[in-house]
């Protein structure tokens, strides 16, 4: 896979637009979801709000965006963001859906405190669940979503049809790409280079970029390409989501705990953990006992792929002496290195920019989804 990126945004979410349209063979996640008749096209107020919930595998986040419509018919300007989160994620409440919905209620109260009462009725609220719920049995996932939707229906906000749903992994990648390139100004004019995005979550990982070479387009499977229209320009993006290849899922696979039954009383061990370690870890509502193999031993920045490789070797070769807040550091660094080099095929010299925020706004897919929500409801015109 040939790639030529001036820079790559690598968003670590392991705890990470107006006038847009997607064209794919399958039904898009927002098709038929937002009806323009639910809100007047010409809104007199110049300040707009949108509430987007990101229900991930390790936590639930709420993004309350404020937009200012300075000129009618023009793209609204993002004024700011209120962000809050809770742990664990909804998938941890797989057998207690009402308790899971209560965690959303707390974040919804944050939104109410952040938005003037006069705007509540025309402020849309949406929750999109990602890989954590994709990995659950459908019946259990739907039970969680049903309870969350009940919370939304009781709220004073505008609740579109299908406001609570599981988002396809590919669109998670696309919307993260929109967010990053909007925040960095790459989408404000024609002829500018865009940034590719890598999103490493807890249960899945996404890669999205604008191919620069004809050979890439020719060699790429058709379902990895998406035609994307925005600001009178068409972008043919490469995007794919790898379910089960997120950082937390990779931990389970490395420990040999993925899809294992009857884990009670069993301790999973790995040489990628300190030899003395004996601990427990909860993920997806399941408690795992883990430890070292006793028989065999947010500001971000710009790094090269080889820096991950070097640091992984440094940490893993000195497990007994290396102190860290996370006992998974050796394991995580080894997985990230393998993902970047063997999985995505990046060279050692490829530059990566690690960031959770751009201009003090969270990266990820939520802002891109909110832009499309406002557009679909006719609020941003």
């Amino acid at each position: 896979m040939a790639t030529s990126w001036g820079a790559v945004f690598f968003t670590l979410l392991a705890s990470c637009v107006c006038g847009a349209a997607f064209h794919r063979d399958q039904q898009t996640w927002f098709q038929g979801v937002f009806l323009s008749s639910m809100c007047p096209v010409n809104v007199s107020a110049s300040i707009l709000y949108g509430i987007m919930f990101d229900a991930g595998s390790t936590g639930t986040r709420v993004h309350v965006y404020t937009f200012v419509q300075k000129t009618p018919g023009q793209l609204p300007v993002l004024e700011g963001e209120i962000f809050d989160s809770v742990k664990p994620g909804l998938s941890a409440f797989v057998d207690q859906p009402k308790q899971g919905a209560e965690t959303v209620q707390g974040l919804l109260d944050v939104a109410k405190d952040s938005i003037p009462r006069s705007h509540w009725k025309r402020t849309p609220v949406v929750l999109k669940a990602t890989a954590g719920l994709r990995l659950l049995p459908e019946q259990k996932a739907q039970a969680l979503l049903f309870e969350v939707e009940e919370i939304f229906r009781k709220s004073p906000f505008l609740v579109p049809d299908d406001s609570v749903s599981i988002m396809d992994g590919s669109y998670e990648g696309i919307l993260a790409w929109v967010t990053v390139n909007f925040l960095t100004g790459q989408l404000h004019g024609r002829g500018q280079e865009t940034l590719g995005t890598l999103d490493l979550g807890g249960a899945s990982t996404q890669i999205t970029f604008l191919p620069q070479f004809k050979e890439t387009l020719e060699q790429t499977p058709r379902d990895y390409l998406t035609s994307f229209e925005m600001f009178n320009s068409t972008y043919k993006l490469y995007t794919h989501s790898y379910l089960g290849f997120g950082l937390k899922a990779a931990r389970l696979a490395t420990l040999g705990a993925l899809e294992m039954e009857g884990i009670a009383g069993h301790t999973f061990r790995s040489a990628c953990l300190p030899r003395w370690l004996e601990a427990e870890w909860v993920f997806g509502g399941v408690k795992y006992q883990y430890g070292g193999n006793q028989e065999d031993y947010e500001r971000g920045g710009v790094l090269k792929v080889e820096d991950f490789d070097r640091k992984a070797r440094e940490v893993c070769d000195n497990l007994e002496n290396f102190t860290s807040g996370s006992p998974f550091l050796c394991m995580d660094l080894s997985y990230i290195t393998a993902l970047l080099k063997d999985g995505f095929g990046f060279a050692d010299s490829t530059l990566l920019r690690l960031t959770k925020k751009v201009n003090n706004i969270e990266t990820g897919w939520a802002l891109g989804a909110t832009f499309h929500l406002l557009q679909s409801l006719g609020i941003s015109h």
Side-chain angles (χ1 to χ4, degrees), residues 40 73 188 228 250-251 258 293 330 340:
H188 295 293
F228 179 66
R251 288 180 182 177
L258 199 61
N293 192 332
C330 166
L340 293 173

Side-chain angles (χ1 to χ4, degrees), residues 128-150:
K128 295 295 180 187
T130 55
L133 264 66
R134 287 184 217 129
L135 289 172
L136 294 182
E138 183 177 0
Q139 185 176 0
K140 291 183 179 293
Q142 291 303 320
L144 280 164
L145 297 182
F146 174 81
E147 295 298 337
V148 171
E149 188 169 8
E150 289 294 296

Side-chain angles (χ1 to χ4, degrees), residues 295-310:
E295 297 178 358
D296 181 16
Y297 186 61
E298 262 180 58
R299 285 175 59 186
V302 177
L303 295 174
K304 293 181 179 180
V305 170
E306 63 185 3
D307 293 328
F308 283 98
D309 194 346
R310 175 183 51 78

Side-chain angles (χ1 to χ4, degrees), residues 35-54:
L35 303 178
S36 59
S37 60
M38 296 183 67
C39 196
V41 174
N42 296 318
V43 179
S44 58
S46 61
I47 298 179
L48 314 172
Y49 297 93
I51 306 169
M52 185 63 62
F53 279 85
D54 172 2

Side-chain angles (χ1 to χ4, degrees), residues 48 67 73 84 98 192 214 267-268 325 353:
L48 314 172
F67 301 91
D84 206 347
K98 288 187 180 294
Q192 296 189 44
K214 183 179 179 181
T267 299
F268 297 93
R353 178 176 294 278

